[in-house]
Amino acid sequence: MSNITFTSADLHNIVELAKEAGNAIMQVYAQSDLGVEVKQDDSPVTAADIASHNVIVAGLKRHFADIAVMSEEAADISWAERQTWQTYWLIDPLDGTKEFIKRNGEFTVNIALIHQGKAIAGVVYAPVLKKCYSGIIGQGAWLEQDGTVTTLDISERKMQTPPIVVGSRSHISPDVAQYLELVGEHNMLSVGSSLKFCMVAEGQADVYPRLGLTSEWDTAAAQAVLESAGGVVLAYPAMTPLEYNQKENILNPYFIAASPAWFANH
């Protein structure tokens, strides 16, 4: 992390910004018309995605004017420009749009700081659940809920028996099903959005295998939280670190996000 300093005060600013974006989302959530449209890639976008995006981008320009920003809702940035970035913000203003449309509360605001290909800090805020996860690599991870802040640390946590696997509520791929056959006996939890990473960071699950397509903005903030809590995220089957802005397309490889104990036993 040469040439960059990210402090707890900086993290506090991002937490407050994520909450402000969450409030903008909830204003739309309370309405009967969510303003759903379909993007060119056939994925849904709502008025809440755009409202959250606008809040976050304005806030980042206010607090960190010299750092570039990439958002799911403003992703048309050329590779020629992006590959020059050493440091930038990577945001998903509303992760779990399908969960938002279903009104099940399992959606998040994701804000990550990327430096030299690594997610070094992140905030994941679930406005319906009123849970805010945050972390800085090398400094720690935290969960704020009901006015209480809890430190998250799974570095020494033992694996549960049988292990608890967390997966997508919207889609379990055939490759995940095959992976679970290799795992053997396990208990399965399903949840939407980046909350899957956060459940591992909290110790509520041992592993999140994502053997399906995701984009870099889907994972960066939650990866920073999990790794700050002592967890591990590795590309699968290469078992190399999951990195960012290393290629022209913004799709992640398959990956496994888990506690250290999981990788020690698998």
Side-chain angles (χ1 to χ4, degrees), residues 3 14 67 89 111 123 139 144 154 193 198 201 220 262:
N3 304 323
I14 299 304
I67 300 179
W89 294 104
I111 307 176
V123 172
Q139 296 186 42
E144 180 186 338
I154 59 168
S193 72
C198 298
W262 174 268

Side-chain angles (χ1 to χ4, degrees), residues 22-230:
N23 289 339
I25 289 170
M26 293 306 292
Q27 288 177 17
V28 178
Y29 198 61
Q31 298 170 13
S32 57
D33 181 4
L34 298 179
V36 180
E37 297 180 6
V38 178
K39 295 191 285 189
Q40 286 185 333
D41 63 358
D42 286 336
S43 64
V45 63
T46 72
D49 295 75
I50 305 305
S52 176
H53 165 86
N54 290 339
V55 166
I56 296 168
V57 171
L60 291 176
K61 286 181 179 177
R62 193 165 62 242
H63 292 294
F64 306 95
D66 56 338
I67 300 179
V69 178
M70 185 174 184
S71 166
E72 179 178 9
E73 305 312 329
D76 55 344
I77 300 165
S78 72
W79 173 233
E81 179 180 347
R82 279 197 295 118
Q83 65 184 330
T84 67
W85 293 353
Q86 286 289 299
T87 308
Y88 69 103
W89 294 104
L90 181 56
I91 64 177
D92 189 341
L94 202 173
D95 182 35
T97 300
K98 291 178 181 176
E99 316 306 333
F100 176 83
I101 294 169
K102 293 175 187 172
R103 298 182 187 271
N104 68 12
E106 295 175 359
F107 52 86
T108 57
V109 175
N110 298 348
I111 307 176
L113 183 62
I114 310 296
H115 180 63
Q116 296 178 350
K118 313 267 186 209
I120 64 166
V123 172
V124 175
Y125 178 54
V128 172
L129 306 178
K130 290 187 167 48
K131 298 177 83 167
C132 188
Y133 301 86
S134 61
I136 307 174
I137 298 293
Q139 296 186 42
W142 303 273
L143 166 61
E144 180 186 338
Q145 184 177 24
D146 300 324
T148 301
V149 177
T150 306
T151 299
L152 303 177
D153 184 356
I154 59 168
S155 56
E156 303 294 332
R157 187 178 179 85
K158 293 181 179 178
M159 203 169 65
Q160 296 165 92
T161 308
I164 297 178
V165 180
V166 64
S168 172
R169 186 174 295 288
S170 295
H171 36 79
I172 287 196
S173 72
D175 289 324
V176 169
Q178 189 174 15
Y179 181 81
L180 294 178
E181 286 184 21
L182 297 175
V183 168
E185 185 184 1
H186 64 277
N187 291 323
M188 186 79 190
L189 299 175
S190 295
V191 67
S193 72
S194 57
L195 289 168
K196 294 180 281 293
F197 285 92
C198 298
M199 291 181 71
V200 178
E202 272 192 86
Q204 293 185 8
D206 297 292
V207 62
Y208 164 35
R210 184 54 183 258
L211 311 186
L213 292 180
T214 54
S215 296
E216 293 185 359
W217 48 68
D218 293 321
T219 57
Q223 178 180 354
V225 169
L226 176 54
E227 292 184 338
S228 298

